[in-house]
Amino acid sequence: MSWATAYIRGCFYAGLRTTSRCESLHAKMGRFVERRYGILEFVTNFQRCVDFLRNNEDELDFRSLYGSPVLQTQFPELENSGALNYTKKIFMRFRDALKRSVRITIVECNKLDDRTVYVTQKYRRPQFRWTVAHHFRENSFFCSFLRFESFGLPCVHILAVLVQLDIGCLPESIVLKRWSKTAKVELEGSSPMNKEGDVNAVYKVRVGAFLQHCKRLARVACMQENDFKSYLEKIVEETAFLEMKNGVGTTGRCSVDGAEEGVRDPVAVQSKGTGRGQEPFRCWGRKRRKCSTCGIVGHRRTHCPSGPASQPTCSQDPTEDIVPHSESQSHAPVRTVTNLFSRKSLCL
C-alpha cells in the first residue's frame, strides 16, 4: 500500500507499511500449530516454533558479527564504517543509499550560528530539492526528507553532505542503536533485578535474560565430557539449594488434601464410541457376535434353529412321473424340449 507512506512519514515504524510482517509470522506459525491441537500439543509446538525463530536469529547474528563484506562503492571509508556498525541486512540497504548519493549535488550552503543548512538537488531534477541541517554541537544531521526519522537509516542527502565535508566515519547521531551489531549487548548485560513494576512482568524479564546466559553456557559446557559433568553437577546442586531456600519443590505445590496442584495433561477422550476406559486392560474379552433373530451368542441368523425353515430352491411337479435313470439319459433331449414348450405356454 503506497498510500500509507504519506501518513507514516516522519514516524518510526521500522519499515512497516502493510500487514506482510504479521502474515509472514502467521505462515511460520502455521507450520507448527494446527487448529485440532489440544493445550498440551499447542504449547509444545509453539515452543518448537519459538526455538526455530531464535535459531534463525542466532544464525543471522553470527553472519553479521563474523566476516567482512567486499567494498563496492567509491567511498570505502564510509562504507567500511557502515559495515562495522550495522548488521548485514541493514548494511546492504545503507550501501545502496551510498551508491545513489553520487547523483545528489549541493547547490546552496547557508552558515548560521549553531548550524549549517545545505540545499541538495537530484541530478538534472531541479524540482526535487531537500534541505540538510548540520548542528555543530551535537554533531547531528537533520534532513527534510525524514528518512532517518521514518526508518532509522541516513538518506542519500545526508550521505552527500558527509562526502562534501570529507567525513570518513559515520557520526553516532545517525547510527540507530536498533540496527547496530551491539543492539543486544546492553540487553544481555543488563540486570533487571532492581526494576520496579508488575511482579509477573519482572519475573518474565529475568527469565528471558537468564536464559540468554544459559544458552551461552550450554554451548561451551557441552563441548567436552569433563566440563559437561562438572557443570551439570554444579547446576543440580545450586538448583536444589535455591529450591530449598525459596520453598519450591520439583513436585509442585500440595493442597490440604495432599493432592498435587498444577497443570497436567488433559484426559484423552475418544472421538467415536464410549470406549472401555473404566475397564481394566486385562479384562477386555473378545467380542462375540450375536444372532439378530433370537439374540443368542454362538450362531448367526442363517444358522438360527428358531428361524424359518429353509425353502427348496426348485419345486418338482408331482404329476410328473419319475423316469428311470436309463430312460432319462436316452430321452433327455426330448424331455428338455418338452419342458421348454410347456414353459412358453405358461408364459403366453
Side-chain angles (χ1 to χ4, degrees):
M1 293 181 291
S2 58
W3 55 268
T5 308
Y7 292 92
I8 64 176
R9 183 170 174 266
C11 301
F12 183 76
Y13 286 98
L16 294 175
R17 293 191 302 175
T18 63
T19 59
S20 57
R21 298 283 182 92
C22 300
E23 294 173 357
S24 175
L25 181 60
H26 294 167
K28 293 179 180 178
M29 287 287 297
R31 296 167 56 185
F32 296 89
V33 180
E34 297 181 6
R35 67 173 67 183
R36 60 182 178 85
Y37 284 169
I39 182 65
L40 180 61
E41 295 175 337
F42 170 77
V43 172
T44 304
N45 289 276
F46 178 77
Q47 187 62 38
R48 290 179 56 236
C49 180
V50 172
D51 295 339
F52 172 76
L53 296 178
R54 286 177 178 173
N55 290 335
N56 290 346
E57 186 176 356
D58 293 340
E59 182 179 355
L60 294 177
D61 291 342
F62 176 81
R63 293 182 179 180
S64 298
L65 294 175
Y66 298 96
S68 56
V70 180
L71 305 181
Q72 301 179 0
T73 63
Q74 301 177 1
F75 314 106
E77 293 80 7
L78 285 176
E79 186 178 1
N80 188 32
S81 178
L84 294 176
N85 287 280
Y86 294 117
T87 59
K88 185 176 181 180
K89 190 173 183 180
I90 298 299
F91 170 72
M92 297 300 177
R93 298 192 177 189
F94 169 78
R95 185 166 62 184
D96 293 340
L98 189 60
K99 290 179 180 180
R100 296 195 305 269
S101 64
V102 297
R103 293 181 287 182
I104 304 300
T105 57
I106 300 175
V107 295
E108 295 182 14
C109 179
N110 302 322
K111 295 184 178 181
L112 302 177
D113 296 337
D114 59 342
R115 65 183 183 276
T116 302
V117 180
Y118 299 90
V119 180
T120 60
Q121 172 186 321
K122 194 174 181 180
Y123 177 70
R124 298 183 63 84
R125 297 293 188 275
Q127 66 274 17
F128 297 106
R129 290 196 174 189
W130 309 95
T131 59
V132 179
H134 177 211
H135 297 269
F136 305 119
R137 296 179 181 179
E138 299 86 3
N139 194 20
S140 59
F141 294 84
F142 174 79
C143 181
S144 59
F145 190 70
L146 300 178
R147 175 175 172 79
F148 183 79
E149 288 76 11
S150 303
F151 188 72
L153 281 176
C155 59
V156 293
H157 315 97
I158 295 179
L159 295 178
V161 173
L162 292 178
V163 173
Q164 180 67 23
L165 297 176
D166 198 16
I167 297 177
C169 181
L170 292 175
E172 295 182 359
S173 59
I174 61 175
V175 178
L176 191 64
K177 194 71 175 178
R178 182 187 185 95
W179 307 135
S180 63
K181 295 181 179 179
T182 59
K184 296 183 180 179
V185 174
E186 296 182 359
L187 179 62
E188 295 179 357
S190 61
S191 176
M193 301 297 293
N194 299 325
K195 291 184 178 181
E196 297 180 358
D198 189 8
V199 178
N200 294 331
V202 174
Y203 175 76
K204 291 180 180 179
V205 173
R206 291 174 181 175
V207 171
F210 194 79
L211 286 177
Q212 293 295 330
H213 292 284
C214 289
K215 273 188 175 182
R216 297 175 57 186
L217 176 63
R219 290 172 185 171
V220 295
C222 297
M223 291 181 178
Q224 298 182 4
E225 186 176 0
N226 297 331
D227 295 340
F228 171 74
K229 292 181 178 180
S230 61
Y231 280 97
L232 183 60
E233 293 178 358
K234 293 179 181 179
I235 291 174
V236 172
E237 293 177 359
E238 295 296 333
T239 304
F241 172 75
L242 291 176
E243 287 177 351
M244 295 178 60
K245 179 182 177 181
N246 298 318
V248 179
T250 56
T251 57
R253 297 175 299 176
C254 295
S255 61
V256 180
D257 300 333
E260 295 183 0
E261 296 180 357
V263 180
R264 297 183 179 180
D265 295 342
V267 180
V269 180
Q270 296 184 0
S271 58
K272 296 180 65 177
T274 57
R276 300 181 180 180
Q278 304 299 331
E279 300 179 8
F281 176 74
R282 297 298 181 183
C283 296
W284 292 0
R286 183 179 180 182
K287 186 177 179 181
R288 303 183 64 182
R289 301 180 64 175
K290 297 182 180 180
C291 177
S292 59
T293 303
C294 61
I296 300 176
V297 179
H299 62 274
R300 292 181 293 179
R301 178 177 60 85
T302 56
H303 299 82
C304 182
S306 60
S310 57
Q311 300 292 337
T313 54
C314 58
S315 59
Q316 187 178 4
D317 189 3
T319 59
E320 185 178 359
D321 296 334
I322 299 176
V323 183
H325 182 66
S326 58
E327 293 184 6
S328 62
Q329 288 183 352
S330 58
H331 298 83
V334 179
R335 184 178 179 181
T336 304
V337 174
T338 308
N339 292 338
L340 289 177
F341 279 110
S342 62
R343 289 178 184 177
K344 286 184 179 180
S345 60
L346 288 176
C347 295
L348 293 175

